[in-house]
Each structure stands twice: as structure tokens, then as C-alpha cells.
Amino acid sequence: MIIDTHLHPTNLVDEAWRHTGTPFTGERLLKMMDGPYMINGKPRRIDMGFIQPPPGNTGYRDGNRMGREGIRDYMSYIAELCQKYPDRFIGNFTFNPRWGPENGAAELEFHVKEYGFKMLKLHANMHGYRPDRALDWLRPAMKKCAELGVVVLIHTGDGPYTIPTMFYPVIREFPMVNFIIGHFGIQTGGNYSFEAFWMAMDTPNVVCETGWCFQSRIVEFANELPRHKLVFGTDSPPNEPGMWLRELEVLCSPPPHGMNLDEDGLEDYMGNNIARICGIPTTPPPRTQEEALARLKDTYAMVEPRPVPA
């Protein structure tokens, strides 16, 4: 399977990014995930995705409920989608410590046990805290992640609070928790990809998300990193996932653009690595176009009619 670690469906207009006046709903997201996307000449889809609300919709607004009720409100649409499409969506709990660190930890546990969430998101810029100093705010949730086997996805790539190495204190304090460096340390306001690379090289419980990384850098990093250290994530919306799949597909080509990666290695990057981290069964890549088409036909037979590639 292809598994995307980083998706943002919403049933209301994103209050920070404002991607047009139409919400990017779960149904729109599924249509986008279904593609098909051509990978090494074979039609594929994004089989599963970890979903979270847009971070701009997870802060306090006038009229919000407070405490655990307020957290449950901003996570409600994600919980609804995970129940409605359990074979496609996995919940990623957005932890905003400003709603109360203990409240957030309690709601994380609730969402894991009630809805099967497997991931937690930290966005220190959107929520306004220094992760290297606000350890008392982070510890309650990190302890729950350790207890429940939850993976932590960290927004990184821009100042003042999401430079990757600012998260070293909490990463080192919780070596039993797996951390994903989101965006490979890159955003529109900065490029900390070499920090992210060396954190993954030096720290057993750190892996990097491939989306946002420059194509010329991803081949350089993939050549050096152990194969299990890269996971596929698009940050969609705003990003279109096909471009990030293509960036990984290029690794199967010869140097200098690629590294002669085999299809099993590509499948690890596109889905099997995060599957192993989160306890999801792994899958081999389709070996032929016929096998890929058969998988898609089985897929489309279970959903609304949609043209299958000839």
C-alpha cells in the first residue's frame, strides 16, 4: 500500500491558510487519493492516509468551548471520517497544549481507544510555544504516546519555534517514542533539511517525512540514510501528492537523478516503513501492470463507480 502520513481534510474553510472558499472535505480527499498515479508504469492509488485538522482550525476562537470539550470539537470531523472510512483514514491527534496539557493527553487517550488513532501532531508555531523550553507542556502527551504506542509527527521548517533541533530535548527524553520530522525540515520560510537528515542519522527514534524535500537532496539523503528512515507524506492540501510520489519514483532511475532503487525499496518509502512503525500489515508492490490494474479494479468495485485505467 501507499500510505500518506500527512493529510488535512476539513468541513469548514481553513482559518489560517484559506484554500479557497470551499472546504477540502474527506470525500474530496478520497477522490484525490484514488488518482490513479502512475508509478514505474503502473497505476496506483494512495491507499491510506493519516488525517488531522488544518492546524489553523485548532486554536481558540470566540465562542469555543474550553478544555477537553473544545479539543473534542476541533477533532470531531477527523473522528467522524475515521469511523466513516476506516479502511482509508487513520486518525492523527492534533495536540495544542494551550487547551491544557493534561486535557490534551486525556483526549489523546480517548481518541486512540475510541477511534483507533495512531499518531499525534505537534505544531509549535501555530500554537505558540518553544518546544525546547515548554517540556512541562509536552510531557503529559509524550507519556501517553509512550504508553499507547503513538507516533509523533512534528511540523518543522520555519522559525521561530519549529526548527528541527529545537525538538531534541523531548526526543531524547522519550527514546521509546517514534518521531517523524515533518516536511523534512523545509517550509516556505526556511530549509533545515540537513538538520533533519542528521537527526535521523544520529537518533534511533527519528525518521524523516519526504514531502517538501528538494528532489536533488532526497536522492542524496536516501543514499545515506538506512532504508527504514524515510516515510511518505504530502501535507495535502495545500500540496498535490503526485509530485511527491514522482520525487520518490525518480530514485529508481540511475544516478545522478536517482540511485537505482528497487521496487521493494520504493514500496518501503511509499508505505511499508510507516506501516511497520504503526503496526499496519505491509504489502509487496505490484510486479506487473496487470497486477496493479487488478488491485485498482478491486478497489473501485468497493466505492462509487469511477473509470479504471485501460
Side-chain angles (χ1 to χ4, degrees):
M1 294 188 294
I2 298 176
I3 304 174
D4 193 331
T5 60
H6 205 141
L7 297 168
H8 293 286
T10 180
N11 59 349
L12 69 151
V13 175
D14 186 314
E15 296 190 355
W17 299 328
R18 301 230 173 240
H19 295 140
T20 77
T22 305
F24 204 91
T25 63
E27 286 69 30
R28 287 182 68 186
L29 184 62
L30 284 173
K31 185 176 181 180
M32 181 191 72
M33 291 167 64
D34 283 346
Y37 301 96
M38 297 302 292
I39 307 293
N40 285 335
K42 306 178 191 72
R44 304 288 300 273
R45 71 166 187 170
I46 298 171
D47 299 277
M48 301 184 77
F50 288 83
I51 59 172
Q52 58 182 289
N57 293 354
T58 61
Y60 180 77
R61 303 180 303 279
D62 287 346
N64 278 16
R65 297 196 294 174
M66 302 296 290
R68 290 187 64 175
E69 291 80 12
I71 298 170
R72 199 165 296 189
D73 287 345
Y74 74 65
M75 290 303 307
S76 62
Y77 185 59
I78 301 303
E80 175 188 327
L81 289 175
C82 289
Q83 295 175 88
K84 190 174 182 181
Y85 304 105
D87 59 328
R88 304 297 303 276
F89 292 146
I90 308 166
N92 182 354
F93 179 85
T94 300
F95 178 72
N96 181 351
R98 291 190 175 275
W99 293 81
E102 296 292 347
N103 291 333
E107 280 302 303
L108 168 64
E109 181 174 21
F110 172 80
H111 282 76
V112 170
K113 293 182 176 179
E114 189 72 16
Y115 305 121
F117 280 34
K118 294 180 179 293
M119 192 175 288
L120 176 141
K121 173 69 174 291
L122 298 178
H123 200 312
N125 270 352
M126 195 66 74
H127 299 144
Y129 61 92
R130 273 186 61 179
D132 56 332
R133 299 299 298 273
L135 294 175
D136 286 343
W137 284 11
L138 297 177
R139 285 187 180 110
M142 296 304 100
K143 289 176 181 177
K144 281 297 175 187
C145 289
E147 175 188 333
L148 300 170
V150 172
V151 179
V152 177
L153 172 63
I154 304 171
H155 170 93
T156 68
D158 42 14
Y161 303 133
T162 61
I163 296 167
T165 48
M166 296 177 77
F167 291 90
Y168 252 144
V170 71
I171 288 170
R172 287 173 169 168
E173 186 171 332
F174 291 91
M176 72 295 291
V177 175
N178 288 306
F179 291 86
I180 301 172
I181 304 298
H183 316 312
F184 220 118
I186 298 173
Q187 282 291 277
T188 51
N191 178 1
Y192 299 91
S193 57
F194 286 93
E195 281 197 13
F197 166 71
W198 283 111
M199 289 173 72
M201 286 289 284
D202 292 345
T203 314
N205 58 323
V206 170
V207 302
C208 288
E209 183 185 73
T210 58
W212 284 87
C213 192
F214 302 138
Q215 185 272 322
S216 57
R217 294 284 79 80
I218 197 74
V219 63
E220 177 182 338
F221 296 148
N223 261 312
E224 299 293 331
L225 284 165
R227 183 177 286 185
H228 69 280
K229 287 284 191 169
L230 292 176
V231 298
F232 170 66
T234 64
D235 192 19
S236 179
N239 290 326
E240 194 281 322
M243 63 179 290
W244 303 122
L245 286 167
R246 172 59 180 158
E247 179 180 74
L248 294 178
E249 179 194 24
V250 168
L251 297 177
C252 297
S253 63
H257 302 108
M259 51 186 276
N260 291 318
L261 181 70
D262 59 35
E263 291 203 343
D264 290 306
L266 179 62
E267 203 74 9
D268 283 346
Y269 292 158
M270 294 193 301
N272 283 340
N273 284 344
I274 191 62
R276 294 184 186 101
I277 292 171
C278 293
I280 301 168
T282 59
T283 56
R287 301 300 179 184
T288 64
Q289 188 177 59
E290 290 73 24
E291 184 181 344
L293 285 168
R295 290 189 190 183
L296 286 185
K297 287 177 181 177
D298 289 342
T299 295
Y300 293 137
M302 295 186 291
V303 297
E304 63 184 62
R306 185 169 295 142
V308 177

